[in-house]
Amino acid sequence: MTQARSYLDHAASAPMLPEAREAWLAASEAVGNPSSLHTSGRLARRLVEEARESVAADLGVRPSEVVFTAGGTEADNLAIKGLAWAGADEGRRRILCSPIEHHAVLDPVEWLGGEGFRVEWLPVDSLGRVDVDALEAALDDDVAVCTVMWANNEVGTVQPVERIAAACAAAGVPYHCDAVQALGQLPMDADLPGVTTLALSGHKVGGPVGVGALIAPRDARITPLLHGGGQERDIRSGTLDAPSIAAFAVAVRRACADQVEVAQRLTLLRDDLIDGVLAAVPGAVLNGDPGRDAPGRLPGNAHLSFPGCEGDALLMLLDAAGVECSTGSACTSGVPEPSHVLLALGVPEPVARGSLRFSLGRTSTPEDVDALLDALPGVVQRASRAGSPRFGSR
Amino acid sequence: MRVIAAMSGGVDSAVAAARAVDAGHDVTGIHLALSRTRQGARGCCSAEDARDARRAADVLGIPFYVWDVSAEFSHAVVDDFVAEYSRGRTPNPCLRCNERIKFSAVLDRALALGFDAVCTGHYARIVAGPHGPELHRARDDAKDQSYVLAVLGAEQVAACLFPLGETLKSEVRADAAARGLAVADKPDSHDICFIPDGDTAGFLRERLGDAPGDIIDAESGETLGRHSGAYAFTVGQRRGLGLTVPDEQGQRRYVVAVEADARQVIVGTDSLLGVRTITADSPVWCGTPPGDPAALAVQVRAHGERVGAVVEHDADAITAHLESPLRGVAPGQALVLYDGTRVVGSGTIRATHARAE
């Protein structure tokens, strides 16, 4: 593949930072299980604990509140199932959840719904913002966990996390927040009063895939998913992956240190992208919060619908032109489904099927946006000829 | 040319795509998701075939995507299959899929998106003729699939690429192995893809329910037994009748007709299965229509024998007068016409007659 690629899919996975790769390689040269008692084991453990302190300092929490996991999905599952199971012991059988969560939240919640919990979906407005008044009305002492993401992975809408956290704190309800997309893009204080647990992922911010963390206070009652050697406060057993954890900490450090500067740069680039697309393609529609005044939208997110086109046709033609984007969250088989997020926002299904997410990150350049704007008009023209929402037939 | 290679995950379509690449075409691999039954909670089709197709595309170094045609397939192929059986006919779903999905919905979409042709692993040949591209039988007569392609009109034939038409199946496997394609020794698929357990009668019973009726002797009109659904029977079928009353001469009984409206399965001896005249509707010509009448050869099932026939036709119907009788011809099957190796066209069989008419 000699063609220059414009990678506009940072929300799916971001390029690994060179210093994260170096940290991984350096740590991989050491032998030793971080739980072993000898010198090599202690050296490996030291890497893990230094990483824990580093992540804690960046997020404003105590080191003991950082639980390393094998990524964002595991962190979400551990928090939601762990809080729900522990809550059930106290008679808490309700779960409050927004309908626009990532599948790593949505699916465990739906699964718990089949295991005796009552799931209540919180209303969202047409921009994708959760109705906090409705949430407050639903809070009670029988709620095991309330879960609302910090910022949406598809349309980029930022939630009123501070208000949600305060409401949950007032009602004494554990609040889990999936902050996977927010890290590095939004100012983040994980010690926000009322946030019980917070899920983070490494590869969205330039760390390796397969490592993440759950921020959880010592007194949070969480039933473990994995039972075994008792690592990570006995709520996440399994040999600690020192190289990945070390690299994760490096990526989190950069994400937090550069957040303001990166957000400013990406916001301008994103607005150029959105303005450029809306000017180049008549009929294109921006989804989510326009984000022009307040930080209502992730700085790196642009999500647009192209009525009359199918998203997978647009994606294929853009890919052929060297521009890489997404029709929603990545799906392993490649069969596109209409986005549950867009449907929850009230977008009609045919329009939802004709939608693309462009997500910018640290390495994005104006040239990437130019490449998209050059290719897009022709691509939309072709895709609209092929029709929507379903293939034409003779 | 810019080519869409439909990749099923099998060895044939993988080698076909490879040969299209060799020929210098700009090839994009597509796996058609035909069904959502083998899937996880949110419609991620996790079928092994999709993965095999993806791995073949990786080896060839071509882009690869999945196109979801499950809704079209369900409507145009599966629903049609069930409806045809409920009317007492015997459809060929592969042929319907070629007609309505692969060389219609997919081809239309490919052309609209800027591609020039669709490439598949079918065993058939496209040959340049005096009036444009012609569809011909494959060199490997045992594998020939021209029968299920005979529903393609001239315009569709012109946008097809069949790189396996000149090759024997054994050579295709060797070619796949030489190219390092993991599907080289993957078994051929034989079943109807949407009935993986092969139990067509069970599949139909689930959808059509019980529809009991009589099994009737074709000659005496006598009721010989009962059945629980006429859709489970096909002309020429011998097994599954459950008849205990033997024929007077001790001869085997076969299904000779299915009367869906009266819920009757008509049975008789082998001698009643011979057909001399076939009428078909919905004619499709793969190129220039033949003369009227024309001396051609006809075939009524995939891999079936061909017999000579005098064929008459108009815009709505084809009538074939066979030189020698064909056995077990069921309404719903395709009547495919050949001139030598060239596929002339096809129609859907509506009626058969034992006499030369």
Side-chain angles (χ1 to χ4, degrees):
Chain A
M1 217 165 287
T2 51
Q3 184 185 34
R5 313 293 303 169
S6 291
Y7 185 74
L8 299 177
D9 203 15
H10 287 254
S13 196
M16 209 191 291
L17 288 162
E19 55 265 53
R21 190 179 300 117
E22 281 160 25
W24 193 95
L25 283 170
S28 73
E29 283 168 16
V31 67
N33 185 323
S35 299
S36 294
L37 305 179
H38 46 59
T39 305
S40 294
R42 284 198 307 279
L43 284 175
R45 180 61 168 266
R46 178 178 171 179
L47 288 173
V48 170
E49 295 310 323
E50 283 173 355
R52 195 187 310 280
E53 287 161 15
S54 169
V55 169
D58 292 334
L59 298 174
V61 298
R62 286 191 295 277
S64 59
E65 296 176 324
V66 178
V67 176
F68 291 116
T69 67
T73 294
E74 190 198 328
D76 282 324
N77 271 265
L78 174 58
I80 290 163
K81 292 177 187 163
L83 289 168
W85 287 331
D89 293 344
E90 305 170 354
R92 294 173 178 258
R93 310 291 299 183
R94 290 168 65 215
I95 298 174
L96 307 182
C97 182
S98 96
I100 58 166
E101 296 296 298
H102 187 276
H103 277 293
V105 169
L106 217 51
D107 287 27
V109 166
E110 286 178 345
W111 179 80
L112 288 165
E115 296 284 309
F117 288 88
R118 198 166 98 223
V119 177
E120 290 165 40
W121 302 104
L122 300 167
V124 293
D125 65 19
S126 62
L127 301 182
R129 211 181 316 277
V130 166
D131 180 341
V132 182
D133 293 339
L135 183 149
E136 279 176 336
L139 287 169
D140 208 342
D141 60 7
D142 59 351
V143 175
V145 56
C146 170
T147 178
V148 178
M149 66 207 322
W150 200 304
N152 183 264
N153 54 304
E154 289 190 36
V155 297
T157 300
V158 179
Q159 299 296 342
V161 171
E162 209 164 322
R163 287 186 59 205
I164 295 169
C168 287
V173 168
Y175 169 42
H176 171 65
C177 182
D178 175 353
V180 165
Q181 293 292 338
L183 182 63
Q185 300 239 344
L186 301 173
M188 184 170 301
D189 180 6
D191 197 25
L192 207 59
V195 175
T196 310
T197 52
L198 192 82
L200 301 171
S201 164
H203 73 113
K204 310 290 190 188
V205 291
V209 178
V211 63
L214 183 69
I215 307 303
R218 299 274 324 183
D219 59 358
R221 289 167 40 77
I222 297 172
T223 305
L225 295 178
L226 304 179
H227 298 84
Q231 290 89 344
E232 300 299 272
R233 292 164 34 195
D234 224 5
I235 60 174
R236 203 284 180 179
S237 286
T239 301
L240 289 158
D241 179 357
S244 295
I245 288 169
F248 172 66
V250 169
V252 171
R253 171 62 45 97
R254 279 291 302 275
C256 293
D258 301 347
Q259 183 270 322
V260 173
E261 180 208 322
V262 165
Q264 278 174 355
R265 194 174 71 78
L266 293 188
T267 300
L268 295 174
L269 201 55
R270 176 202 70 195
D271 289 344
D272 286 349
L273 188 158
I274 292 172
D275 293 343
V277 170
L278 293 177
V281 182
V285 182
L286 177 69
N287 296 306
D289 189 305
R292 293 300 156 117
D293 306 317
R297 180 182 204 100
L298 285 172
N301 175 289
H303 192 284
L304 295 122
S305 294
F306 302 89
C309 299
E310 277 222 62
D312 67 340
L314 293 166
L315 184 148
M316 183 181 89
L317 295 172
L318 282 174
D319 192 17
V323 178
E324 300 178 326
C325 63
S326 155
T327 51
S329 342
C331 172
T332 47
S333 73
V335 175
E337 282 286 296
S339 153
H340 67 280
V341 175
L342 294 179
L343 297 182
L345 268 55
V347 176
E349 183 173 329
V351 178
R353 282 186 177 277
S355 301
L356 293 178
R357 178 187 70 185
F358 306 101
S359 52
L360 305 167
R362 187 183 285 276
T363 56
S364 298
T365 63
E367 287 71 31
D368 293 332
V369 174
D370 291 344
L372 167 67
L373 297 179
D374 282 349
L376 194 61
V379 161
V380 170
Q381 198 179 15
R382 268 196 177 156
S384 66
R385 245 182 5 221
S388 159
R390 288 296 177 169
F391 305 175
S393 60
R394 277 158 207 277
Chain B
M1 286 198 295
R2 300 193 64 220
V3 173
I4 285 288
M7 301 176 76
S8 67
V11 61
D12 293 329
S13 57
V15 171
R19 291 183 179 183
V21 173
D22 287 352
H25 299 305
D26 178 1
V27 180
T28 295
I30 295 292
H31 178 74
L32 301 176
L34 300 177
S35 149
R36 305 198 141 206
T37 54
R38 288 171 293 174
Q39 65 183 13
R42 60 176 167 276
C44 291
C45 177
S46 59
E48 199 181 321
D49 288 337
R51 182 189 174 276
D52 288 344
R54 178 185 298 275
R55 293 295 299 133
D58 289 343
V59 170
L60 303 181
I62 59 173
F64 176 82
Y65 307 92
V66 176
W67 282 4
D68 177 12
V69 291
S70 57
E72 293 85 344
F73 186 80
S74 167
H75 169 70
V77 180
V78 182
D79 291 353
D80 174 78
F81 179 82
V82 175
E84 283 288 277
Y85 267 109
S86 76
R87 295 181 197 115
R89 298 179 194 146
T90 305
N92 182 319
C94 299
L95 185 138
R96 197 64 63 225
C97 178
N98 287 330
E99 178 187 24
R100 299 286 299 278
I101 306 294
K102 288 193 185 126
F103 300 100
S104 177
V106 171
L107 176 60
D108 287 348
R109 190 184 205 221
L111 296 177
L113 293 178
F115 293 88
D116 305 301
V118 168
C119 164
T120 69
H122 283 108
Y123 286 79
R125 289 180 297 148
I126 303 290
V127 174
H131 308 291
E134 297 174 348
L135 178 64
H136 282 253
R137 295 179 69 85
R139 185 181 138 220
D140 188 340
D141 209 57
K143 284 297 299 179
D144 173 63
Q145 292 173 315
S146 62
Y147 179 84
V148 291
L149 296 167
V151 282
L152 306 187
E155 220 181 297
Q156 290 156 295
V157 168
C160 288
L161 218 55
F162 300 134
L164 305 189
E166 301 286 354
T167 315
L168 301 178
K169 175 80 185 198
S170 53
E171 296 168 350
V172 168
R173 290 204 178 276
D175 191 351
R179 291 171 187 274
L181 292 166
V183 289
D185 55 1
K186 188 174 173 179
D188 286 358
S189 54
H190 289 295
D191 295 329
I192 296 171
C193 70
F194 54 88
I195 311 179
D197 65 1
D199 180 11
T200 302
F203 179 87
L204 292 169
R205 180 153 294 118
E206 261 176 45
R207 283 151 185 82
L208 296 172
D210 266 5
D214 291 333
I215 299 176
I216 291 176
D217 187 284
E219 314 222 42
S220 67
E222 189 189 340
T223 299
L224 301 175
R226 297 280 289 169
H227 63 79
S228 59
Y231 51 76
F233 298 90
T234 292
V235 172
Q237 179 175 341
R238 181 166 65 81
R239 294 174 194 279
L241 286 165
L243 294 180
T244 49
V245 187
D247 176 65
E248 279 166 21
Q249 280 81 41
Q251 289 193 48
R252 286 170 170 168
R253 286 194 176 95
Y254 296 83
V255 175
V256 298
V258 177
E259 304 290 348
D261 291 342
R263 293 186 174 186
Q264 288 176 345
V265 174
I266 317 295
V267 299
T269 57
D270 191 22
S271 62
L272 296 177
L273 286 174
V275 163
R276 293 299 294 265
T277 307
I278 300 172
T279 57
D281 61 17
S282 314
V284 175
W285 306 115
C286 308
T288 316
D292 180 34
L296 299 168
V298 305
Q299 183 176 330
V300 296
R301 68 172 67 83
H303 310 296
E305 62 171 321
R306 275 167 291 158
V307 303
V310 173
V311 174
E312 300 168 310
H313 62 89
D314 57 31
D316 304 315
I318 302 171
T319 304
H321 307 277
L322 311 186
E323 284 172 7
S324 53
L326 276 172
R327 288 182 74 256
V329 184
Q333 290 174 335
L335 173 75
V336 174
L337 312 176
Y338 291 90
D339 181 4
T341 61
R342 183 170 74 89
V343 186
V344 176
S346 69
T348 305
I349 296 173
R350 281 294 164 250
T352 61
H353 308 278
R355 295 182 308 280
E357 290 181 0

